Amino acid sequence: MTSATPPASSQRSSGASSAEQPWPVRTVSAKVAGWIDRLGSIWVEGQITQINARPGTRTAFLVLRDPSADMSLSITCSPQLLHNSPVPLTEGSRVVMFGKLSFYTGRGTVSLRVTEIRAVGIGELLARIERLRALLAAEGLFDPRLKRPLPFLPGTIGLITGRASAAEKDVVSVAHRRWPAVAIAVRNTAVQGPTAVPQIIEALKELDANPVVDVIILARGGGSVEDLLPFSDEALCRAIVACTTPIVSAIGHEPDSPLSDHVADLRAATPTDAAKRVVPDAVAEAALVSDLRDRSAAALRSWVKRESHLIEQLRTRPVMASPLLAVDHRAEEVERLQAAGRRDVTRLIDSESRTIEHLRARLTTLGPAATLARGYAVVQRVVPDGDPEVLRSVEDAPPGTQIRVRLADGAVRAAVMGREK
């Protein structure tokens, strides 16, 4: 119900309220009744939490509660609506009602007088869950990348489950049997019915805000579709996604698949499976550590043995027994190569020396010195300011020409006296 300012005509008729001129209760009640009456007939959906239909009475009283919020509404109807319903209506039934709100001025209360009640069937509930599943999936709330990893060894586990339930006993007993030192912070809430969702959300917020809680388990045993409805509620799914602590959903049995299983960080088939997946087995971990220790020791011994064998092989090699043997072999080879090089060079020098001697002898035989030694001479014309020129014709030496005669042991100068034929 929302507040509103009375119309101007009403204020003029009754006057504006003030400390000096307050409205009487009857006036306020009448105005509230008028405002509510203008709402008209409406359809309302909710969950029946209380039915009071005494035999012989003309009115049945019910309480209709919002499954996702701590809000309720008083309902009145004819007992025949309850008796003639095709589906038996009990506390916890999801229904859709049609009626008109009324404000009872005598008691100052609001109730909905209904004339039609329709039970929400299993098929419709499943269809609504599927529509919500598609909506949450489209928003990415099922994305595996959003899943937070569970701690290997949680110090404290938060457990949200029904009071004295089999799920609580299973989780606590299995967790303590696997790791006796683990602490469990239990929060007992309703796990079905109209009050389940608000209580579970409140417990989630409390445990998520506790810094010592490392992981939270939502646990409930099996049940019908109606019993598991709170765990497919949109408000609860969004509260699970908003948590910073990893959440494990262990609702119902293996075939059950409420939406909380999809938005949680880990889905467990049963509460017992949740305890096994959250808490490591101390005996198994100790056996694993012992096995790893034995395997590490065996691997180390094998490595030492293999390296020792390799060292022994290296020690028996000739190069290790006589490190300078290879150097000695190379030194002998170098000496052989030096001797061979020296022989080749000497042989080449001797061959070239003989060739030079032969050429020198030929040059000596064919050269002008040998010819001069046999009595010949070379006659050159003396050219002023130039080198002497060899005379090849008598025409080149007219009488008076200065000439130079080269002999075997020197040269003489002379002048041409004349020509002879």
Side-chain angles (χ1 to χ4, degrees), residues 267-390:
R267 176 188 182 273
T270 61
T272 301
D273 180 54
K276 290 181 178 179
R277 301 182 71 172
V278 170
V279 182
D281 189 351
V283 177
E285 295 300 326
L288 177 61
V289 170
S290 178
D291 179 62
L292 292 176
R293 184 185 294 112
D294 294 341
R295 290 168 59 185
S296 299
L300 181 59
R301 286 193 294 268
S302 176
W303 179 80
V304 171
K305 182 177 180 181
R306 184 173 62 254
E307 296 301 322
S308 299
H309 180 66
L310 178 61
I311 292 175
E312 289 298 327
Q313 288 182 332
L314 294 175
R315 286 178 176 176
T316 56
R317 290 184 179 180
V319 67
M320 298 299 295
S322 179
L324 298 179
L325 182 62
V327 177
D328 295 340
H329 289 331
R330 293 299 180 183
E332 294 176 357
E333 184 177 357
V334 169
E335 291 179 357
R336 289 196 301 271
L337 292 175
Q338 286 179 344
R342 188 178 295 108
R343 288 195 301 271
D344 292 341
V345 171
T346 302
R347 186 181 304 108
L348 179 60
I349 292 174
D350 292 343
S351 175
E352 295 301 326
S353 298
R354 287 193 295 271
T355 301
I356 291 172
E357 290 296 330
H358 294 321
L359 292 175
R360 180 182 293 112
R362 292 177 62 186
L363 287 174
T364 302
T365 302
L366 299 176
T371 303
L372 294 176
R374 289 197 299 272
Y376 290 92
V378 177
V379 180
Q380 297 173 312
R381 185 182 62 178
V382 178
V383 179
D385 300 329
D387 295 333
E389 298 177 354
V390 177

Side-chain angles (χ1 to χ4, degrees), residues 87-101:
V87 178
L89 299 178
T90 60
E91 294 181 357
S93 299
R94 294 285 290 269
V95 295
V96 176
M97 297 181 175
F98 180 76
K100 192 175 188 313
L101 282 172

Side-chain angles (χ1 to χ4, degrees), residues 27-40 100 103 105:
T27 302
V28 175
S29 297
K31 289 181 180 295
V32 171
W35 291 332
I36 292 177
D37 186 66
R38 285 197 295 270
L39 181 61
K100 192 175 188 313
F103 181 75
T105 57

Side-chain angles (χ1 to χ4, degrees), residues 140-319:
L141 301 188
F142 299 165
D143 193 336
R145 292 174 296 181
L146 298 179
K147 309 301 182 184
R148 290 155 295 205
L150 301 185
F152 169 71
L153 181 59
T156 301
I157 299 173
L159 175 61
I160 301 175
T161 186
R163 187 178 302 277
S165 62
E168 178 181 354
K169 295 177 182 178
D170 291 344
V171 172
V172 173
S173 62
V174 172
H176 283 159
R177 184 173 65 249
R178 292 172 66 85
W179 198 275
V182 69
I184 301 179
V186 181
R187 296 296 181 270
N188 295 122
T189 65
V191 291
Q192 67 183 58
T195 61
V197 173
Q199 292 184 20
I200 294 174
I201 292 177
E202 183 63 27
L204 268 177
K205 292 180 179 179
E206 179 185 351
L207 292 175
D208 186 47
N210 191 343
V212 302
V213 176
D214 299 318
V215 63
I216 300 174
I217 299 177
L218 279 174
R220 189 201 188 285
S224 63
V225 175
E226 296 92 334
D227 294 339
L228 300 181
L229 278 179
F231 298 95
S232 293
D233 186 85
E234 182 178 0
L236 177 58
C237 291
R238 295 189 183 279
I240 291 175
V241 174
C243 289
T244 58
T245 306
I247 306 295
V248 178
S249 178
I251 308 302
H253 301 300
E254 180 65 30
D256 300 321
S257 182
L259 297 184
S260 62
D261 286 353
H262 299 278
V263 296
D265 298 294
L266 178 66
R267 176 188 182 273
T270 61
T272 301
D273 180 54
K276 290 181 178 179
R277 301 182 71 172
V278 170
V279 182
D281 189 351
V283 177
E285 295 300 326
L288 177 61
V289 170
S290 178
D291 179 62
L292 292 176
R293 184 185 294 112
D294 294 341
R295 290 168 59 185
S296 299
L300 181 59
R301 286 193 294 268
S302 176
W303 179 80
V304 171
K305 182 177 180 181
R306 184 173 62 254
E307 296 301 322
S308 299
H309 180 66
L310 178 61
I311 292 175
E312 289 298 327
Q313 288 182 332
L314 294 175
R315 286 178 176 176
T316 56
R317 290 184 179 180
V319 67

Side-chain angles (χ1 to χ4, degrees), residues 32-167:
V32 171
W35 291 332
I36 292 177
D37 186 66
R38 285 197 295 270
L39 181 61
S41 298
I42 56 174
W43 286 97
V44 181
E45 180 186 2
Q47 190 171 23
I48 297 176
T49 60
Q50 184 178 341
I51 300 177
N52 187 0
R54 297 180 181 179
T57 59
R58 300 175 59 183
T59 303
F61 298 91
L62 298 81
V63 176
L64 188 67
R65 189 181 185 90
D66 191 316
S68 301
D70 190 11
M71 297 181 183
S72 60
L73 185 63
S74 297
I75 306 295
T76 60
C77 67
S78 171
Q80 296 302 319
L81 281 178
L82 302 178
H83 297 322
N84 297 334
S85 175
V87 178
L89 299 178
T90 60
E91 294 181 357
S93 299
R94 294 285 290 269
V95 295
V96 176
M97 297 181 175
F98 180 76
K100 192 175 188 313
L101 282 172
S102 299
F103 181 75
Y104 295 94
T105 57
R107 298 189 303 271
T109 59
V110 177
S111 66
L112 180 67
R113 181 70 181 182
V114 300
T115 58
E116 186 177 351
I117 301 178
R118 298 180 184 178
V120 179
I122 298 299
E124 186 174 353
L125 290 176
L126 294 177
R128 293 183 182 182
I129 292 175
E130 288 304 317
R131 287 196 295 269
L132 180 57
R133 187 194 306 272
L135 173 64
L136 298 180
E139 293 183 13
L141 301 188
F142 299 165
D143 193 336
R145 292 174 296 181
L146 298 179
K147 309 301 182 184
R148 290 155 295 205
L150 301 185
F152 169 71
L153 181 59
T156 301
I157 299 173
L159 175 61
I160 301 175
T161 186
R163 187 178 302 277
S165 62

